[in-house]
Amino acid sequence: MYLATTDAAATATKVTRGRVGGPVLALGAVSLVTDISSEMVTAVLPLYFVLQLGLSPLQFGFLDGLYNGVTALVRLLGGHAADRGGRHKLVAGAGYALSAFSRLGLLLAGGGTVGIGASIAADRLGKGVRTAPRDALISLSAPPDALGRAFGVHRAMDTTGALLGPLAAFALLWATADAYDAVFVVSFCVGLLGVLMLIVLVPGRTADPLGRPAPAAPAQQRGRLLAPLRDADFRRIFGAAALLGAATIGDSFLYLLLQRRLDFAVSWFPLLPLGAAAIYLLLAVPAGRLGDRIGRRVPFLCGHAALLGGYILLLITDAGPVLLVGVLLLLGVFYAATDGVLMALAGPVLPAARRASGMALLQTGQALSRLLAAAGFGAAWTLWGDHSALIAAVVALAVALAAAVFLLPRPERQPSRV
């Protein structure tokens, strides 16, 4: 059953217009602190593995794939567990704690590949477990017409942590003469602070922002991981996100293509993600507010159009400043207009009792499709060369974008409550 917006609901949302509620800000602060902890480790892992431990490129490639691939496998379970009894905070907290304590695992591993791999897997498991419950908490803490702003604020705070983490790590390495253990210890302490902030600042059970009780899911549907796909609008959003994800080649390839086109020193390579992240930070909130005003499908589609522009720019110009600034700018616009906006687009379609499960399903489908896209682009690059592979990527994304225009539902409806 779907409820139209009532006069009471309109009054409730009018009160919140122009500001973001305390739970959203608290979750943003937790994500900011946690991302400082996570990115401190992520920034130094390549140096630690290759220079300090002397791992081969094959070993590092395996661990790096493990670091990035495990998350998608546990998102569904995390979302499902959070929806059972409305335990969003408990499940999210367990994920944050697991990631924090994985830093100690790096200390205890003693340079052993198995121990390091287990620590990395624990960190990714923690991230996978917490993501959907956290996004469900954000969605349940904001009125329907402010979801874009809420997710934009959260993503901006999260990205701030992602920017500060590498800077803190390299400052520590400089101050301690490359003592990687110091980075791991400080990262653990900061991560533990994030867990404590979640416990103290985030409410245990989030009330409906419009003041309505949120009933539990029917008993016959609680155990079904794919239950959200019963909804036609959610299926359309899921299909569009997966289709567009399957035409997204991945940031690492874009940075590699930039390095090949511009032929700059490899030592500058780690700074490329910071440029895109800075744009993301600046535009996340405006993109969310725009989605609240004109409909979230518009910025979501425009974000992918910006990514398509980045691909085309790599094909048509070798002008250094234009290419570098243009690609990083368009990549930042892509993330600002799609990441939180997609969750805000899906939130009103999903009932509160299955909000985390649905978001986990959406995130997993998108992550797996992007994984396949990255593998496909890598194979095409190997077989045809980077120029031909990029042409294929442009065609694929243009076709997917055209299909998504018809797939995404409109108009956006109010939240389902059963």
Side-chain angles (χ1 to χ4, degrees):
M1 173 180 179
Y2 305 115
L3 300 180
T5 304
T6 62
D7 291 339
T11 301
T13 56
K14 192 178 296 183
V15 172
T16 64
R17 186 159 299 168
R19 61 185 177 87
V20 173
V24 175
L25 292 175
L27 287 164
V30 171
S31 291
L32 188 156
V33 171
T34 302
D35 254 36
I36 292 176
S37 171
S38 297
E39 295 302 323
M40 284 178 68
V41 174
T42 301
V44 303
L45 278 181
L47 299 175
Y48 179 64
F49 286 160
V50 177
L51 300 182
Q52 186 83 0
L53 302 182
L55 297 187
S56 69
L58 178 61
Q59 290 172 311
F60 172 68
F62 170 76
L63 291 173
D64 187 58
L66 181 66
Y67 194 78
N68 291 291
V70 171
T71 308
L73 301 179
V74 295
R75 279 178 174 164
L76 287 176
L77 295 178
H80 179 67
D83 281 339
R84 293 180 66 88
R87 297 176 295 185
H88 300 91
K89 178 180 175 179
L90 178 62
V91 175
Y96 280 114
L98 183 58
S99 290
F101 281 99
S102 71
R103 315 289 186 251
L104 296 181
L106 290 171
L107 286 172
L108 300 175
T113 305
V114 174
I116 293 172
S119 299
I120 290 172
D123 178 59
R124 294 300 91 183
L125 285 169
K127 182 175 176 61
V129 165
R130 71 179 182 253
T131 300
R134 179 205 65 201
D135 283 352
L137 279 171
I138 296 170
S139 177
L140 294 168
S141 300
D145 70 343
L147 283 178
R149 185 188 307 114
F151 277 102
V153 168
H154 174 269
R155 295 309 197 256
M157 297 177 74
D158 184 86
T159 305
T160 301
L163 286 170
L164 294 176
L167 298 177
F170 284 109
L172 270 173
L173 289 178
W174 176 79
T176 59
D178 293 341
Y180 291 93
D181 287 356
V183 175
F184 299 149
V185 170
V186 173
S187 174
F188 164 71
C189 294
V190 175
L192 194 59
L193 174 62
V195 176
L196 294 176
M197 289 173 63
L198 179 76
I199 294 171
V200 174
L201 300 178
V202 178
R205 287 182 178 273
T206 305
D208 186 287
L210 302 182
R212 300 171 300 198
Q220 69 271 22
Q221 293 185 8
R222 287 177 189 161
R224 299 179 183 176
L225 292 175
L226 302 182
L229 289 173
R230 288 173 169 267
D231 184 275
D233 280 354
F234 181 75
R235 283 199 305 271
R236 293 167 72 90
I237 294 171
F238 179 89
L243 183 62
L244 288 166
T248 303
I249 66 175
D251 300 353
S252 297
F253 285 117
L254 288 181
Y255 299 145
L256 286 171
L257 288 167
L258 275 176
Q259 200 278 329
R260 287 171 67 94
R261 295 286 192 277
L262 303 179
D263 195 28
F264 54 77
V266 176
S267 59
W268 291 98
F269 188 84
L271 298 180
L272 292 177
L274 297 182
I279 301 300
Y280 182 9
L281 172 62
L282 291 174
L283 297 181
V285 176
R289 291 172 63 96
L290 180 65
D292 289 338
R293 291 182 179 180
I294 66 174
R296 289 144 199 156
R297 68 192 305 274
V298 176
F300 183 71
L301 293 170
C302 289
H304 284 87
L307 183 64
L308 179 62
Y311 294 177
I312 294 173
L313 199 59
L314 279 163
L315 281 175
I316 64 174
T317 182
D318 287 325
V322 173
L323 185 59
L324 179 63
V325 174
V327 170
L328 294 181
L329 174 64
L330 291 170
L331 185 60
V333 170
F334 162 67
Y335 279 114
T338 59
D339 186 15
V341 170
L342 177 60
M343 296 299 104
L345 177 63
V349 174
L350 294 163
R354 291 196 299 273
R355 190 70 53 90
S357 298
M359 289 184 169
L361 188 62
L362 182 59
Q363 292 162 357
T364 300
Q366 189 179 49
L368 292 178
S369 63
R370 285 179 175 176
L371 182 63
L372 292 175
F377 184 79
W381 187 337
T382 303
L383 294 173
W384 306 332
D386 61 335
H387 186 78
S388 297
L390 192 54
I391 292 175
V394 167
V395 173
L397 184 53
V399 172
L401 188 57
V405 171
F406 295 97
L407 269 177
L408 287 173
R410 56 180 175 182
E412 297 164 22
R413 72 180 189 226
Q414 295 299 313
S416 169
R417 306 305 309 168
V418 299

